Amino acid sequence: MARKSVIEREIKREKLVAKYAETRSKLKEIIRTSIDEKEKWDAVQKLQQLPRNSLPCRKRSRCNITGRPRGVLEKFGLCNKKLREEFGKGSIPGLETSSW
């Protein structure tokens, strides 16, 4: 089980990414399409002033139950250990054990 502080930090990062997503995309569009060097440089400076944790690549996918960062299957939002437990109980529809 992950520490509560680590899980809370991830939640904070998700909120920052959502908050600054539109601003970040507008600035990147200006950088890509602008011909004027001054305008492009100003957009780069503003982009650098945004919080570092608002970058989407800083988010870490974590298990919804335990907060474990490794072995997470995005489709279910669970780590492989909890996924195996849950589908063993039959609580995940569409998954079944194979037998041959």
Side-chain angles (χ1 to χ4, degrees):
M1 183 94 174
R3 294 188 320 244
K4 288 286 185 185
S5 61
V6 174
I7 295 170
E8 291 300 319
R9 189 182 322 146
E10 267 322 301
I11 293 169
K12 181 180 171 186
R13 281 185 183 146
E14 288 175 12
K15 288 178 184 175
L16 276 174
V17 168
K19 179 179 178 182
Y20 289 103
E22 189 176 341
T23 307
R24 187 172 289 281
S25 65
K26 284 180 183 177
L27 289 172
K28 283 188 171 190
E29 187 63 32
I30 290 170
I31 292 168
R32 262 187 254 118
T33 59
S34 179
I35 297 171
D36 184 27
E37 290 296 320
K38 173 91 170 100
E39 184 181 13
K40 193 180 284 191
W41 179 251
D42 290 339
V44 169
Q45 294 296 319
K46 287 178 185 174
L47 192 62
Q48 288 177 352
Q49 295 300 317
L50 295 178
R52 184 171 285 163
N53 279 334
S54 69
L55 287 165
C57 64
R58 300 223 1 149
K59 286 193 316 184
R60 177 79 184 202
S61 58
R62 292 187 172 270
C63 176
N64 291 334
I65 298 173
T66 62
R68 187 173 193 269
R70 296 180 184 255
V72 177
L73 295 160
E74 288 293 324
K75 184 175 182 180
F76 303 104
L78 300 173
C79 64
N80 49 17
K81 294 178 180 182
K82 285 296 174 181
L83 182 70
R84 187 161 175 80
E85 265 180 37
E86 293 298 316
F87 98 88
K89 295 177 194 173
S91 61
I92 299 178
L95 285 182
E96 57 186 40
T97 56
S98 62
S99 60
W100 59 93

